[in-house]
Amino acid sequence: MKRRKVSSKNFIEHIIDEDLEKGFDKKKLKFRFPPEPNGYLHIGHVKAICLNFELGKKYNAPVNLRFDDTNPVKENKIFVDAIKDDISWLQYKWEEEKYASDYFQQLYLWALELIKKGKAYVDNQSTEQIALQKGTPTSPGQNSPFRNQSPDKALSLFIEMKEGKHPEGSMVLRFKGNMSSSNMLMRDPVLYRILKKPHHRTKDKWCIYPMYDWAHGQSDYIEEISHSLCTLEFLPHRELYDEYLDFVYKKGTKPKQREFSRLNLSYTVTSKRKLQKLVENSFVEGWDDPRMPTISGLRRRGYTPTALINFAKAVGVAKRDNVIDASFLEFCAREDLNKKSRRVMVVLDPIKVIVTNYPENKNETLLTENNPEDSEAGHRKIHFSKELFIERNDFRETANRKFFRLKLGGEVRLKSAYIIKAQSLKKNDKGEIDTVYCTYDPLSLSGSGTQESQRKVKGTLHWVSQKKHVKIKVNQYDRLFTNPNPDSDKDQDFTKHINPHSLITNKAYAEISLKKAEPGTSFQFQRQGYFICDKKSTDKTKVFNKTVSLRDTWTKKEAKT
């Protein structure tokens, strides 16, 4: 796959440069990444994280991590901790850790000012009634019967809301926008609602909570954020963002909201609501299931920070949404893992090989490269003996000339070892091949310098010694969905597209070095793919998750369907 060309500057950088040219003080540049702590970060967030933190690096400007924690119903400290862990794992550092809840008192005081100036009122209609009065995109809305409420009455009711004197959901504070605006968000949006739920930080101090639109821009203003960067779904919110800021702005930096395309990946859903459904209905084992598009899931799958960041940079920052093929993310993983991963030999579906002319009790220690892409990776010991394992699909009893692996009467080289020749075989009671009997050429040892070691054969196989090996558990993952766009049927449940074969677990035989593998360490299983030692590994049982295959096999699979 060809690497995508990356433009030297994206349109956001052009906006910032234009602001600097017009006189904006470069020292006042400041960015932020503002997740809501109601779930784990996913691949779409990687783009936003990279954009903000890389801008911080480029312009030598601070970047805040701010949690927009305005909904205690869905938010949790568990998600706060997971988000911080993910960003740190991506090797980014934030200037300050902030929370919208830090500003609840100031937001409340500004709301009181709105009411006193006749710009907000308390509405005790139901949510359904308010929605009906808003009209449609092609027809104007109708004023609420409470819109002409006196400021004194609205102020009294809002204070009572704060004091917990009214039931949850019984009334809301609304901003006086424009009920005829073509932008539905400007039709008297809700500023505050009553939620008698404890907050993960403020506990029971508040029972009214600001809506996202009221908290977001004002939080940017308080933190002196210069450029508030959001995905395209927030473009309609910009008008409201600016109007709220016009009301509260007094001095200092006035934030500028600009929007960029979100990152959509094929065969993936990134809606937090849908990801939560996958978790709650046990389609996956948790938010960090290696099949999930969460950063935690990708990390557990074996994706590296470099792979994710390179992917986000290569995709680029644009003004129009598009869908990126999942195979490009896999390509970025391969490219990075190829440079870093130690090679090992693992047999996933074994048949036995007995080298009949090899000494009975001999156990030979051979040296082989850890990574031919890294000259400093060194070498490791592998053990060769009379009895070995090879992959079942690497042997055929009879085969045509295009089959370059082992067949009766044919020769292959065993990786970093000897050339062997298949002489006969034994089958089990089911008629399946159980054992292949071979002879070896003792002068053909790889790297020995003999003439026989230089002899060319067309096939090279990986193998594992029967005497010195370790049994491991291998999780082989496929894409979680069979449909490239799982949300394509808007009227049907997206889970109907779940791939029933997205996880296949095998027992396998590995070279003895994997006995000491540490969780989080990636390896290339030679001729198989890239795998990572899972957090569930123990000294007794090592568990490995497949990250990606050595080559893009999915594109070929799609072409056949």
Side-chain angles (χ1 to χ4, degrees):
M1 182 179 293
K2 293 182 179 179
R3 182 189 291 273
R4 300 184 180 198
K5 291 184 179 180
V6 183
S7 173
S8 57
K9 285 188 179 181
N10 58 56
F11 80 95
I12 296 289
E13 292 169 337
H14 283 298
I15 290 172
I16 295 170
D17 288 346
E18 288 172 8
D19 289 339
L20 295 175
E21 289 171 7
K22 292 176 182 177
F24 187 86
D25 187 352
K26 187 176 181 180
K27 293 180 181 178
K28 292 184 178 180
L29 284 177
K30 194 174 189 180
F31 308 101
R32 88 287 174 269
F33 175 63
E36 183 181 357
N38 63 350
Y40 281 54
L41 299 181
H42 54 66
I43 185 64
H45 291 112
V46 174
K47 180 176 178 179
I49 293 169
C50 289
L51 173 60
N52 283 286
F53 283 95
E54 292 296 333
L55 286 173
K57 289 181 180 180
K58 178 167 186 174
Y59 293 97
N60 194 27
V63 183
N64 281 359
L65 170 60
R66 183 177 73 242
F67 293 95
D68 280 333
D69 54 344
T70 60
N71 186 354
V73 176
K74 296 182 178 180
E75 295 159 356
N76 195 298
K77 187 178 183 299
I78 292 173
F79 298 132
V80 170
D81 293 341
I83 289 168
K84 289 162 62 176
D85 186 52
D86 285 343
I87 297 172
S88 296
W89 176 73
L90 286 170
Q91 300 172 10
Y92 288 120
K93 294 182 179 180
W94 52 88
E95 182 76 11
E96 295 182 280
E97 182 180 321
K98 296 291 187 178
Y99 296 81
S101 55
D102 292 336
Y103 317 128
F104 279 176
Q105 181 63 28
Q106 180 60 70
L107 292 168
Y108 172 72
L109 293 176
W110 277 330
L112 293 178
E113 288 185 36
L114 281 173
I115 295 170
K116 291 173 184 177
K117 294 184 178 181
K119 290 293 292 178
Y121 61 95
V122 174
D123 194 328
N124 66 2
Q125 297 181 98
S126 68
T127 303
E128 292 74 21
Q129 287 174 310
I130 292 174
L132 285 173
Q133 288 169 358
K134 282 201 170 187
T136 70
T138 56
S139 62
Q142 297 177 337
N143 286 343
S144 163
F146 300 94
R147 199 174 199 268
N148 294 323
Q149 188 180 70
S150 71
D152 287 344
K153 178 66 173 176
L155 193 64
S156 176
L157 286 172
F158 186 54
I159 291 172
E160 288 178 3
M161 286 171 60
K162 178 183 180 293
E163 293 174 346
K165 294 181 178 179
H166 297 279
E168 184 173 299
S170 61
M171 54 184 63
V172 294
L173 181 69
R174 295 178 70 182
F175 177 74
K176 282 188 182 179
N178 180 357
M179 294 301 289
S180 298
S181 173
S182 58
N183 184 347
M184 296 286 287
L185 294 173
M186 297 301 296
R187 297 183 185 182
D188 289 14
V190 173
L191 290 163
Y192 275 88
R193 73 284 206 201
I194 302 171
L195 288 173
K196 295 188 175 182
K197 301 288 189 301
H199 188 276
H200 70 98
R201 294 185 76 242
T202 61
K203 309 305 178 186
D204 294 319
K205 182 177 179 180
W206 296 88
C207 64
I208 57 169
Y209 290 92
M211 298 299 289
Y212 172 85
D213 281 323
W214 175 239
H216 188 68
Q218 282 53 259
S219 297
D220 285 341
Y221 174 47
I222 292 169
E223 293 176 24
E224 299 183 296
I225 302 302
S226 62
H227 294 79
S228 177
L229 308 176
C230 309
T231 46
L232 278 175
E233 64 261 38
F234 290 97
L235 178 58
H237 295 250
R238 194 202 294 183
E239 185 179 359
L240 189 57
Y241 181 96
D242 289 339
E243 183 148 348
Y244 285 160
L245 279 177
D246 286 342
F247 179 80
V248 304
Y249 180 75
K250 296 292 189 296
K251 62 180 180 177
T253 300
K254 189 174 185 180
K256 173 187 285 190
Q257 177 178 308
R258 290 297 180 265
E259 304 80 21
F260 60 93
S261 63
R262 62 179 291 161
L263 197 160
N264 299 302
L265 195 66
S266 64
Y267 297 96
T268 306
V269 295
T270 52
S271 159
K272 285 184 181 177
R273 176 180 59 82
K274 291 177 179 177
L275 294 177
Q276 188 163 13
K277 183 174 182 178
L278 292 174
V279 174
E280 290 178 347
N281 291 276
S282 300
F283 290 108
V284 293
E285 67 174 35
W287 286 94
D288 68 344
D289 186 296
R291 292 166 292 179
M292 289 280 274
T294 57
I295 296 176
S296 295
L298 291 165
R299 177 182 182 177
R300 191 173 165 199
R301 178 83 172 255
Y303 282 80
T304 63
T306 300
L308 296 187
I309 291 170
N310 286 347
F311 171 70
K313 288 181 177 179
V315 167
V317 180
K319 298 181 181 181
R320 182 179 298 177
D321 282 338
N322 59 350
V323 178
I324 306 301
D325 197 297
S327 62
F328 184 59
L329 175 60
E330 293 164 357
F331 165 78
C332 292
R334 280 189 205 97
E335 190 174 58
D336 189 46
L337 289 168
N338 182 51
K339 300 171 186 174
K340 299 175 178 177
S341 299
R342 201 180 90 183
R343 276 53 169 167
V344 293
M345 293 193 286
V346 177
V347 175
L348 300 176
D349 184 16
I351 58 172
K352 298 174 185 177
V353 167
I354 296 179
V355 185
T356 57
N357 63 332
Y358 193 83
E360 190 70 35
N361 297 317
K362 186 176 180 180
N363 182 48
E364 198 169 354
T365 300
L366 308 175
L367 283 180
T368 186
E369 287 182 300
N370 280 328
N371 186 345
E373 301 293 325
D374 181 1
S375 59
E376 297 183 0
H379 293 74
R380 71 186 188 283
K381 295 178 180 179
I382 54 176
H383 299 278
F384 189 86
S385 58
K386 185 180 185 73
E387 298 179 349
L388 311 169
F389 292 115
I390 65 169
E391 293 289 346
R392 184 171 297 277
N393 63 9
D394 278 341
F395 175 79
R396 288 184 189 174
E397 187 174 357
T398 57
N400 59 33
R401 293 180 179 178
K402 294 183 179 180
F403 184 76
F404 299 127
R405 286 167 278 176
L406 190 60
K407 55 189 174 183
L408 286 180
E411 289 185 319
V412 295
R413 176 172 290 283
L414 296 179
K415 177 69 177 173
S416 302
Y418 298 97
I419 293 173
I420 62 171
K421 183 175 183 179
Q423 304 288 358
S424 62
L425 58 84
K426 183 181 74 173
K427 297 183 178 180
N428 60 22
D429 295 339
K430 297 178 181 179
E432 301 167 333
I433 296 171
D434 177 80
T435 306
V436 179
Y437 296 93
C438 300
T439 54
Y440 88 116
D441 182 346
L443 298 178
S444 64
L445 179 62
S446 294
S448 63
T450 66
Q451 185 174 351
E452 282 298 304
S453 70
Q454 311 287 325
R455 186 157 62 88
K456 302 295 183 183
V457 289
K458 291 186 176 180
T460 300
L461 308 184
H462 64 281
W463 53 275
V464 171
S465 167
Q466 287 190 48
K467 283 189 175 181
K468 291 209 172 186
H469 68 267
V470 58
K471 290 182 181 178
I472 63 172
K473 179 181 176 182
V474 177
N475 296 319
Q476 297 198 70
Y477 295 100
D478 207 337
R479 297 182 186 177
L480 186 56
F481 296 96
T482 56
N483 190 319
N485 182 5
D487 286 331
S488 57
D489 300 324
K490 296 298 181 183
D491 57 334
Q492 296 188 37
D493 185 358
F494 73 103
T495 61
K496 76 171 189 174
H497 297 299
I498 284 180
N499 179 3
H501 307 296
S502 63
L503 170 60
I504 297 173
T505 299
N506 306 88
K507 295 289 185 182
Y509 295 95
E511 62 177 71
I512 200 70
S513 64
L514 282 189
K515 190 174 184 178
K516 295 181 179 180
E518 294 291 332
T521 308
S522 290
F523 299 87
Q524 185 195 101
F525 289 6
Q526 292 186 301
R527 302 177 64 233
Q528 306 281 12
Y530 295 96
F531 293 75
I532 188 170
C533 187
D534 188 61
K535 66 179 185 179
K536 289 188 175 181
S537 291
T538 64
D539 290 340
K540 186 177 180 181
T541 304
K542 298 296 181 182
V543 181
F544 292 85
N545 300 328
K546 185 174 183 178
T547 308
V548 288
S549 58
L550 292 178
R551 296 175 184 80
D552 180 9
T553 56
W554 188 271
T555 302
K556 295 179 181 178
K557 190 186 300 184
E558 283 184 308
K560 291 180 180 178
T561 58

